[in-house]
Amino acid sequence: MRPLAQLALATALALGTLSMTADAQPVATPMTVPSDGTLLSVAAQAEARRTPDIANVSAGVVTQAADANAAMRENAAQMAKVVAAIRAAGVAERDVQTAGVNLNPQYRYAENQPPVITGYQASNTVNVVVRDIAKLGRILDALVATGANQVNGPTFDIDKKDPVYDEARRAALDKARQRADMYAQALGLRVRRIVSIDETGGMGIPRPVPMMAMAKMERDVATPISPGENVLSVNLDVVFELGK
């Protein structure tokens, strides 16, 4: 290597100006802790409770007939009445979604003989979001009265979860800080700072509610509905730096 080239290379190395190659990957900088500091990892969980403000229900019609066309026609006629009842109850179009339309042959089985088709079964199911829970019982009654012979639910939920989760996050963070302060005091130290926060996930837990009563009742009494309470939880892993 020529003396001039050697000098240029040495200068570049000394000044740290050599660039990385295209294939080189940056190295993650490890978390630095002062020599007089101690890291403390604290796990904390907190919950926030709310009364549900929406309910999800699935309703459908199942019909049977000797041939496929008849089964589908009868099903469509009954399902049209069910959907009309949903609309009449004030449920918005965006809150009604078809979950499935099915047509299946029905068989008769006999020993040592091939199955024989005896008819067809058609089904149509919609998922409905009810945003006025006070009307839910009467909506369910109206669906059954207009032809729905399959009803599943309700499952209760909270429409806007973020503020509720934020409440749980603040409570979990306060709990983590209180525990960190306790450890620090026991060690004769103080909490200097939060190094990292990791939210490991949360989930909504509905409180048990009574089963829907679908028995025949007086006309002016709707199916009783109890929304109960939903619980949203948050889990945090918080790393603190302790020191003098």
Side-chain angles (χ1 to χ4, degrees):
M1 182 179 293
R2 295 179 180 179
L4 186 57
Q6 290 177 333
L7 178 60
L9 177 61
T11 303
L13 289 172
L15 297 177
T17 58
L18 284 180
S19 61
M20 297 173 61
T21 65
D23 294 333
Q25 297 295 324
V27 179
T29 303
M31 183 169 54
T32 58
V33 181
S35 58
D36 62 341
T38 300
L39 292 184
L40 170 68
S41 179
V42 176
Q45 185 267 346
E47 299 175 344
R49 292 173 165 79
R50 291 290 188 281
T51 299
D53 53 9
I54 60 174
N56 299 281
V57 179
S58 68
V61 173
V62 178
T63 55
Q64 293 184 349
D67 64 83
N69 260 338
M72 288 296 287
R73 284 197 307 269
E74 183 181 345
N75 189 277
Q78 290 191 31
M79 197 64 192
K81 295 177 183 178
V82 170
V83 173
I86 294 172
R87 297 278 190 267
V91 178
E93 185 174 350
R94 66 187 176 95
D95 291 330
V96 182
Q97 184 179 56
T98 298
V101 177
N102 298 283
L103 177 67
N104 298 295
Q106 303 297 294
Y107 295 95
R108 182 179 68 244
Y109 297 92
E111 189 174 355
N112 299 324
Q113 294 183 12
V116 177
I117 295 178
T118 59
Y120 291 84
Q121 183 183 79
S123 63
N124 191 335
T125 305
V126 293
N127 292 330
V128 182
V129 179
V130 178
R131 299 184 184 276
D132 187 351
I133 293 181
K135 296 180 179 179
L136 181 56
R138 295 194 180 278
I139 290 175
L140 293 174
D141 292 341
L143 297 181
V144 175
T146 53
N149 50 22
Q150 281 194 336
V151 176
N152 294 291
T155 57
F156 295 101
D157 204 353
I158 299 169
D159 188 22
K160 297 180 180 179
K161 294 186 179 69
D162 284 347
V164 187
Y165 274 123
D166 286 345
E167 179 182 323
R169 290 180 180 108
R170 285 190 289 269
L173 190 57
D174 289 344
K175 186 181 294 186
R177 180 59 193 254
Q178 290 171 8
R179 289 179 181 172
D181 287 337
M182 183 274 295
Y183 281 114
Q185 291 172 9
L187 296 171
L189 303 173
R190 65 179 178 85
V191 176
R192 287 178 174 173
R193 64 187 177 108
I194 291 177
V195 177
S196 68
I197 300 176
D198 179 26
E199 184 175 322
T200 57
M203 61 182 299
I205 306 173
R207 293 296 187 191
V209 297
M211 292 281 290
M212 268 194 319
M214 296 303 294
K216 185 176 180 180
M217 306 179 69
E218 295 181 9
R219 285 186 178 181
D220 60 344
V221 180
T223 297
I225 298 295
S226 300
E229 186 178 64
N230 278 29
V231 180
L232 302 185
S233 66
V234 169
N235 300 283
L236 298 182
D237 290 321
V238 186
V239 178
F240 297 88
E241 180 188 322
L242 310 183
K244 292 289 188 180

